[in-house]
Amino acid sequence: MVDEALRRRASAELPGWVLEGEELIGRWRFADFAEALAGAVRVGALAERADHHPDMRVGWGRLEVRLTTHSAKALTSRDVDLAGKISQALTPPHA
Amino acid sequence: MVDEALRRRASAELPGWVLEGEELIGRWRFADFAEALAGAVRVGALAERADHHPDMRVGWGRLEVRLTTHSAKALTSRDVDLAGKISQALTPPHA
């Protein structure tokens, strides 16, 4: 179960992100496939810098980012931190 | 249901790809997250050239590519063609 303080922090700091189990999920729409893939590449650069890596789904005009901490089998502050950076770099995900 | 001639063609020409319903699915392993994302970008370039776009899932050392023809709600020769180009550019997916 997600730590209550962490849940409150995610809720306060991460508009548009959805918490499902131990995963933070953000979804974006883009104009086309290339834009969505470019979004994934930007997320990838942030992930490398944080040494913390999401699962991503890319489709035509769609990007989904899923964050959890596999080593802890739980959501951690590293996920919330990276989600915040992704929101800054792209935009907040659509709700 | 997938056209039988197309199914035979996919089976003959596309080692490692899996047919699930109307989707051709290829999965690759990479050394790390950045390599997997680079694989997705290569697939993206082929997709743009073909004007035919897969759904992709990227994770740490993992890439999954899913091909179907949304407009036809079916697998078509465009999917088999693009899958062949992806196998050439990366390697055949692991079975």
Side-chain angles (χ1 to χ4, degrees), chain A residues 61-77:
Chain A
R62 292 181 289 101
L63 171 63
E64 180 179 293
V65 175
R66 289 173 171 260
L67 285 164
T68 193
T69 302
H70 293 288
S71 58
K73 293 187 175 143
L75 193 80
T76 69
S77 60

Side-chain angles (χ1 to χ4, degrees), chain A residues 31-51:
Chain A
D32 57 23
F33 182 85
E35 292 292 325
L37 185 54
V41 169
R42 294 181 72 187
V43 171
L46 295 169
E48 288 290 288
R49 202 176 307 162
D51 195 19

